[in-house]
Amino acid sequence: MSTPRSFVDKIICPVRAKRERRKEARPGELLAAALDLFVEKGFAATRSEEVAVRAGVSKGTLFLYFPSKEELFKAVVMESLGGRFTEWNAEFEAFEGTSAEMLRYCMNVWWERVGMTKASGLTKLMMCEGANFPELAEFYRREVVRPGHDLLRRILQRGIDRGEFANVDIDHAIYSVVAPMVFLMLWKHSAMVCVDGVSPLDPEKYLATQAETVLYGLSVRAGDKA
Amino acid sequence: MSTPRSFVDKIICPVRAKRERRKEARPGELLAAALDLFVEKGFAATRSEEVAVRAGVSKGTLFLYFPSKEELFKAVVMESLGGRFTEWNAEFEAFEGTSAEMLRYCMNVWWERVGMTKASGLTKLMMCEGANFPELAEFYRREVVRPGHDLLRRILQRGIDRGEFANVDIDHAIYSVVAPMVFLMLWKHSAMVCVDGVSPLDPEKYLATQAETVLYGLSVRAGDKA
Amino acid sequence: MSTPRSFVDKIICPVRAKRERRKEARPGELLAAALDLFVEKGFAATRSEEVAVRAGVSKGTLFLYFPSKEELFKAVVMESLGGRFTEWNAEFEAFEGTSAEMLRYCMNVWWERVGMTKASGLTKLMMCEGANFPELAEFYRREVVRPGHDLLRRILQRGIDRGEFANVDIDHAIYSVVAPMVFLMLWKHSAMVCVDGVSPLDPEKYLATQAETVLYGLSVRAGDKA
Amino acid sequence: MSTPRSFVDKIICPVRAKRERRKEARPGELLAAALDLFVEKGFAATRSEEVAVRAGVSKGTLFLYFPSKEELFKAVVMESLGGRFTEWNAEFEAFEGTSAEMLRYCMNVWWERVGMTKASGLTKLMMCEGANFPELAEFYRREVVRPGHDLLRRILQRGIDRGEFANVDIDHAIYSVVAPMVFLMLWKHSAMVCVDGVSPLDPEKYLATQAETVLYGLSVRAGDKA
DNA sequence: AATGAATGAGAGTTCATTCAT
DNA sequence: CATGAATGAACTCTCATTCAT
């Protein structure tokens, strides 16, 4: 399908005539504007024209690059999340160290690259509007949720295979890792409704605590059967 | 179906003409239909006519009972949540037992009466769409969030006053109690996006664990007594 | 057609049981309420229910007495204007005095019975909304404009026949008499749009002046051919 | 057709792509269609879509140029009346001649530019529907009534200052001038209700007569000089 | 006779999408 | 490639009229 030249392209050809550069940059600017607005107002409430205006182009141009609002959203998801799993998978494939360190590292980089960025708003958005846009929900599950779970599964399996983790039910363990991440994303993007003041939650600390809790649950203790 | 009928509706007059009977039931039927649809599709995505049709009446009839979609939503919120606080407050006013028991009981009945019912979908809805409907968000904060926080504040204050709880920062403690509730509501209504199969989360167990964590944080330990 | 028991009926049977009296009075109360509201807000902008409420009955009752809003309006017109011409015609048939006195008297009683009453609002209403409700306009012309012109025509014809008035073109003369009346009605009911303060127009004086102007135009002067 | 094109529209660029040409013409076409329909049917009874269709576009296009029906009406008022006062004021600022001539000239050009054009229907409309649309009434008073009265006031004041007019109450004098204009507009647009045939009123003659009456009232006569 | 709950056509307005330029 | 004028289906809300009670 039509996901246009991604951020990767920018690295390939660094020098260009200004006009040409802008042209090449169009999709990226549109995706950035779309990400901003989708996160800020949701999918349904974001008007196509607003995206175009924020990207500095006209309404028509948006539809030149993305055949519909839904495809635009999918492209945003791929740019921000789905398209980065090959990179992330490779990074973790090459990881050397204990599986506990690997899991901690995973949660940390997740926070840096997703949790604390606008991209986390996309997950919140899908939780809010997924039911109204089944095709988007399915796409998100396929391109983000599944690869994410698979990555975690490989980390956990590595730990078990190496005898570092207890032989727990992996699906259940995945959820233990994912739950605090999801909670953080929701809290970050929706807290204003439920608390009057500012959220007194320190995400890094919260995440570190949850990581240790999970790791404790995964630890091989006396009496466990290998 | 499990939408709790309003107090008034329970006082039924057994013998009545058909038309009259329907009239008495209308607001309740409309509120039930609205709750269903708002929770299912969100506020913006729910069309007024759908609510009417699901309640078995025509578009116009809905506006006979509620002057606008926003007022309908407010009525749903009052029926399901806001209007029940006087009852709940009275119940807790009369509570006898330790403050720890009181807090545990609070979280349990919250789950039974809100968390596990459709009403929990309203909180999720507000977190998702609150930014797009500021008046509704303000209403929700005034009629649900504030009374809820006040109820918790009284429980915590009682514990502190009786020397059962440490002299912690109450606002912070309220958040500790509310956070897992909020998380559960969001999880329950959005899990389909984040997990492939059924969520392996056991809400009661999760809630019980969180309650004990909070209570541990509130416990008076040696060396405290600021 | 269904013009219901008119005001006349009230004179006929003065003593009645209270309940019965109210019943009999219904149409009159509805007509009074309708006149008020039509004059105040116009025909299209007056809601049927408002009329019913102001008359102290329910919406359904209104349609029991008048099959539609248009028929209600016609009944109001008949009650206030159209139905009074037989009485007025008889009164002028019996008039003794000069035709000039007759014309002055005509304009004076018009002011007392129509111009200064709410009924004058109906003429303004027809001028404003007549184009949108052709059937009402036709009805109004037939039942009010035509009889009114006929009455004036007879007065003028009497004056000419008796040699009191010059042998002018009667249709044109009718207009000379009607114009200031229409002007007064429009001014009375619409001035607020065109002047900031209160209208400084004294209707009686204005009318008297206009009457003398018209009479001067009708006067038989030297050189006129009889 | 005789709707006066706005100043801007007159500056036409003879060579242009068809689409572009249409776009330039759109607002004017819509305003012309709106003026027609508002005058013909009134504000409330004119449907937005009708205006669009008469201008040869679709419903949506209307709202591309005017954000609401009320704003459309205001634009029509400005195009036809409110926006022309700067031009008219300048014209009268430059007037040389007696103040009596000035007043006669004022009433004459008013008839040519407003009274006999469709624009006069807007005044009739405001008198009919002003009470139902208070914001429009206020706008009309501010943008049309007030500037009109101010223009007249300056003429009258000039006459008094130059000793050409008696030192009368100016507000009262303004009304004397305005009243026949208002009457003419109402008569013109509503005569079909009040007369069977064609109105035998000659507006120019009527206006000239009224002008002389007013001027007589303003004339400085022996014994005045308060 | 009287009620008022119910109806549904119709109004103003929005916005994703198309396409002539 | 880029534009932005144009479209029209869809949405919320109103109100004259009906009819079961």
Side-chain angles (χ1 to χ4, degrees):
Chain A
M1 194 242 330
S2 67
T3 320
R5 280 121 273 161
S6 83
F7 63 107
V8 179
D9 294 356
K10 288 174 202 159
I11 304 159
I12 295 172
C13 184
V15 186
R16 280 261 216 219
K18 217 179 194 175
R19 178 75 187 281
E20 191 111 359
R21 271 268 290 293
R22 290 224 65 204
K23 239 187 221 172
E24 291 291 303
R26 281 283 141 76
E29 286 163 7
L30 283 164
L31 289 171
L35 176 60
D36 276 16
L37 285 162
F38 283 148
V39 168
E40 191 181 316
K41 318 171 72 154
F43 178 75
T46 295
R47 287 166 41 220
S48 305
E49 185 161 23
E50 265 182 296
V51 175
V53 166
R54 186 173 295 204
V57 299
S58 76
K59 217 178 346 178
T61 304
L62 173 62
F63 286 90
L64 213 61
Y65 288 94
F66 306 97
S68 75
K69 202 177 157 188
E70 295 220 343
E71 292 304 318
L72 171 63
F73 181 79
K74 289 182 188 174
V76 169
V77 168
M78 289 310 286
E79 168 93 356
S80 303
L81 299 169
R84 315 189 61 175
F85 274 102
T86 42
E87 182 196 349
W88 293 339
N89 284 337
E91 185 178 343
F92 279 87
E93 212 65 51
F95 191 89
E96 294 179 1
T98 69
S99 295
E101 283 164 2
M102 199 171 171
L103 193 64
R104 281 192 205 96
Y105 178 71
C106 176
M107 292 175 83
N108 284 335
V109 299
W110 170 83
W111 175 249
E112 280 163 25
R113 298 176 191 171
V114 177
M116 72 185 302
T117 72
K118 278 173 207 144
S120 59
L122 294 174
T123 301
K124 181 241 174 185
L125 186 158
M126 285 313 311
M127 298 185 90
C128 290
E129 303 188 72
N132 295 326
F133 301 94
E135 200 198 319
L136 293 185
E138 174 51 29
F139 177 85
Y140 186 81
R141 266 193 301 273
R142 187 173 64 244
E143 301 292 342
V144 180
V145 177
R146 215 110 72 197
H149 285 196
D150 289 346
L151 176 52
L152 282 174
R153 179 173 287 108
R154 280 195 301 278
I155 296 173
L156 295 168
Q157 191 65 57
R158 178 184 186 266
I160 294 171
D161 290 348
R162 289 170 148 222
E164 294 169 304
F165 293 159
N167 191 19
V168 298
D169 175 66
I170 289 196
D171 286 328
H172 201 283
I174 287 172
Y175 139 76
S176 304
V177 181
V178 165
M181 293 170 165
V182 170
F183 176 71
L184 272 185
M185 293 190 282
L186 291 166
W187 192 259
K188 184 164 152 3
H189 291 279
S190 320
M192 75 283 321
V193 176
C194 287
V195 289
D196 287 331
V198 180
S199 159
L201 179 63
D202 177 342
E204 271 102 345
K205 208 174 285 177
Y206 173 77
L207 217 54
T209 311
Q210 295 291 323
E212 296 316 312
T213 308
V214 170
L215 285 171
Y216 178 76
L218 288 169
S219 63
V220 184
R221 276 156 291 180
D224 283 358
K225 82 169 175 179
Chain B
M1 192 221 339
S2 67
T3 320
R5 288 294 131 107
S6 81
F7 342 84
V8 178
D9 292 355
K10 286 178 194 155
I11 307 156
I12 40 166
C13 178
V15 186
R16 239 351 159 178
K18 217 191 233 167
R19 185 79 162 263
E20 191 97 5
R21 269 262 290 295
R22 303 229 68 192
K23 188 245 159 171
E24 295 261 303
R26 275 288 129 76
E29 288 166 7
L30 285 164
L31 288 172
L35 177 61
D36 276 16
L37 283 162
F38 284 148
V39 168
E40 191 180 315
K41 318 174 69 154
F43 179 75
T46 296
R47 294 183 298 119
S48 303
E49 187 161 20
E50 263 182 298
V51 175
V53 166
R54 183 171 297 203
V57 298
S58 76
K59 203 178 11 171
T61 303
L62 173 61
F63 290 93
L64 225 55
Y65 292 91
F66 305 97
S68 73
K69 200 181 162 187
E70 295 221 343
E71 291 304 317
L72 172 62
F73 181 79
K74 290 182 186 175
V76 169
V77 167
M78 289 311 284
E79 169 92 358
S80 302
L81 298 169
R84 316 189 62 178
F85 273 102
T86 43
E87 182 195 347
W88 293 339
N89 286 336
E91 185 177 344
F92 279 86
E93 214 64 53
F95 191 90
E96 295 179 1
T98 70
S99 296
E101 283 165 3
M102 199 171 171
L103 192 64
R104 279 190 206 97
Y105 177 71
C106 176
M107 292 176 82
N108 285 334
V109 299
W110 170 83
W111 175 251
E112 277 164 27
R113 298 176 191 171
V114 177
M116 73 184 303
T117 71
K118 277 180 204 135
S120 59
L122 295 174
T123 301
K124 180 240 173 187
L125 187 158
M126 285 315 308
M127 299 188 91
C128 292
E129 303 189 74
N132 296 325
F133 300 93
E135 201 198 317
L136 294 185
E138 173 52 29
F139 178 84
Y140 187 81
R141 265 194 300 274
R142 186 172 64 245
E143 299 292 344
V144 180
V145 177
R146 215 109 74 198
H149 285 196
D150 289 348
L151 176 50
L152 282 174
R153 177 172 288 109
R154 282 194 299 277
I155 295 174
L156 294 167
Q157 192 65 56
R158 177 185 188 265
I160 293 170
D161 290 347
R162 290 169 150 221
E164 295 170 302
F165 293 159
N167 192 21
V168 297
D169 175 65
I170 289 197
D171 286 326
H172 199 286
I174 287 173
Y175 141 77
S176 305
V177 180
V178 165
M181 292 169 164
V182 170
F183 176 69
L184 269 187
M185 291 191 280
L186 284 158
W187 190 261
K188 181 164 146 26
H189 291 279
S190 317
M192 75 285 318
V193 177
C194 288
V195 289
D196 288 331
V198 180
S199 161
L201 179 65
D202 178 341
E204 271 102 344
K205 208 174 284 176
Y206 173 78
L207 218 54
T209 309
Q210 296 291 325
E212 295 317 312
T213 307
V214 170
L215 285 171
Y216 178 75
L218 290 169
S219 63
V220 184
R221 275 156 292 179
D224 276 1
K225 204 119 195 188
Chain C
M1 198 236 334
S2 66
T3 319
R5 279 122 274 158
S6 83
F7 63 107
V8 180
D9 294 357
K10 290 175 200 156
I11 304 158
I12 296 171
C13 184
V15 186
R16 279 261 214 218
K18 218 182 200 177
R19 178 74 186 279
E20 192 109 3
R21 270 269 287 295
R22 292 227 63 204
K23 236 187 227 174
E24 291 291 303
R26 280 285 139 77
E29 286 163 7
L30 282 165
L31 289 170
L35 176 60
D36 276 16
L37 285 163
F38 284 148
V39 168
E40 189 181 319
K41 318 171 73 152
F43 177 75
T46 295
R47 288 167 40 222
S48 306
E49 184 161 24
E50 266 181 296
V51 175
V53 166
R54 186 172 296 204
V57 298
S58 76
K59 215 177 351 177
T61 305
L62 172 62
F63 286 90
L64 214 62
Y65 288 94
F66 307 96
S68 74
K69 202 177 156 188
E70 295 219 345
E71 291 305 318
L72 170 64
F73 182 79
K74 291 182 186 173
V76 169
V77 167
M78 289 311 285
E79 168 92 358
S80 302
L81 299 169
R84 315 188 60 174
F85 275 101
T86 42
E87 181 196 350
W88 292 338
N89 285 337
E91 185 178 345
F92 279 86
E93 213 65 52
F95 191 90
E96 293 178 1
T98 70
S99 295
E101 284 166 359
M102 197 172 174
L103 192 63
R104 280 191 206 97
Y105 178 71
C106 174
M107 292 175 83
N108 285 335
V109 299
W110 170 84
W111 175 249
E112 279 164 25
R113 297 176 192 172
V114 176
M116 73 183 304
T117 71
K118 278 175 206 143
S120 59
L122 294 174
T123 302
K124 181 240 173 188
L125 187 157
M126 285 314 308
M127 297 186 90
C128 290
E129 303 188 73
N132 296 326
F133 301 94
E135 200 198 319
L136 294 185
E138 173 51 30
F139 177 86
Y140 186 81
R141 267 192 301 274
R142 186 174 64 245
E143 301 292 344
V144 180
V145 178
R146 214 110 73 198
H149 286 197
D150 289 348
L151 175 52
L152 281 174
R153 178 173 288 109
R154 281 195 300 278
I155 295 174
L156 294 167
Q157 192 64 58
R158 175 182 186 268
I160 293 170
D161 290 349
R162 287 169 151 222
E164 295 170 303
F165 293 158
N167 192 18
V168 298
D169 174 65
I170 290 196
D171 285 327
H172 200 285
I174 287 173
Y175 139 77
S176 305
V177 180
V178 165
M181 293 169 163
V182 170
F183 176 72
L184 271 186
M185 291 191 281
L186 291 168
W187 193 259
K188 182 164 157 1
H189 291 279
S190 319
M192 75 286 317
V193 176
C194 287
V195 288
D196 287 332
V198 181
S199 160
L201 180 65
D202 177 342
E204 270 102 345
K205 207 173 285 177
Y206 173 78
L207 218 53
T209 310
Q210 295 292 324
E212 295 316 312
T213 307
V214 169
L215 285 170
Y216 178 76
L218 289 170
S219 63
V220 183
R221 276 156 291 180
D224 285 358
K225 82 171 182 178
Chain D
M1 192 219 341
S2 67
T3 320
R5 289 292 130 109
S6 82
F7 341 87
V8 179
D9 291 355
K10 286 176 193 158
I11 307 156
I12 41 165
C13 177
V15 185
R16 225 24 139 168
K18 215 189 235 167
R19 185 77 161 268
E20 192 95 2
R21 270 261 291 295
R22 303 228 69 191
K23 187 242 159 171
E24 294 261 303
R26 275 289 126 77
E29 289 167 8
L30 285 164
L31 288 171
L35 178 60
D36 276 17
L37 284 162
F38 285 147
V39 168
E40 192 180 313
K41 318 173 71 154
F43 178 75
T46 296
R47 294 183 298 118
S48 303
E49 186 160 21
E50 262 183 300
V51 175
V53 166
R54 183 170 297 204
V57 297
S58 76
K59 204 177 9 170
T61 302
L62 173 62
F63 289 93
L64 224 55
Y65 292 91
F66 305 96
S68 73
K69 198 182 165 188
E70 295 220 343
E71 290 304 316
L72 171 64
F73 181 79
K74 289 182 186 173
V76 169
V77 167
M78 289 311 284
E79 168 93 358
S80 303
L81 298 169
R84 315 190 62 177
F85 274 102
T86 45
E87 182 195 346
W88 293 339
N89 285 336
E91 185 177 344
F92 279 86
E93 211 66 48
F95 191 90
E96 294 179 1
T98 69
S99 297
E101 283 165 2
M102 199 170 171
L103 192 64
R104 281 190 204 96
Y105 177 71
C106 176
M107 292 177 82
N108 284 335
V109 299
W110 170 82
W111 175 250
E112 279 164 26
R113 299 177 192 171
V114 177
M116 74 184 302
T117 71
K118 277 179 205 137
S120 59
L122 294 174
T123 302
K124 179 240 175 187
L125 187 158
M126 284 315 309
M127 299 187 91
C128 292
E129 303 188 74
N132 296 325
F133 300 92
E135 200 199 317
L136 294 185
E138 173 51 29
F139 177 86
Y140 187 82
R141 265 192 301 271
R142 186 174 64 245
E143 300 293 343
V144 180
V145 177
R146 216 111 71 198
H149 285 196
D150 288 347
L151 176 52
L152 282 174
R153 178 172 289 109
R154 281 195 300 277
I155 295 175
L156 295 168
Q157 190 66 56
R158 178 184 185 266
I160 294 171
D161 290 347
R162 290 170 148 221
E164 295 169 304
F165 293 159
N167 191 19
V168 298
D169 176 65
I170 290 198
D171 286 326
H172 200 284
I174 287 173
Y175 141 77
S176 305
V177 181
V178 165
M181 293 169 166
V182 169
F183 175 69
L184 269 187
M185 292 191 279
L186 283 157
W187 189 262
K188 181 165 145 25
H189 291 279
S190 317
M192 77 281 321
V193 177
C194 287
V195 289
D196 287 332
V198 180
S199 160
L201 178 63
D202 177 341
E204 271 102 344
K205 206 173 287 177
Y206 174 76
L207 218 53
T209 311
Q210 295 292 325
E212 296 316 313
T213 309
V214 170
L215 285 170
Y216 177 76
L218 289 169
S219 63
V220 183
R221 276 156 291 181
D224 276 0
K225 203 118 190 193

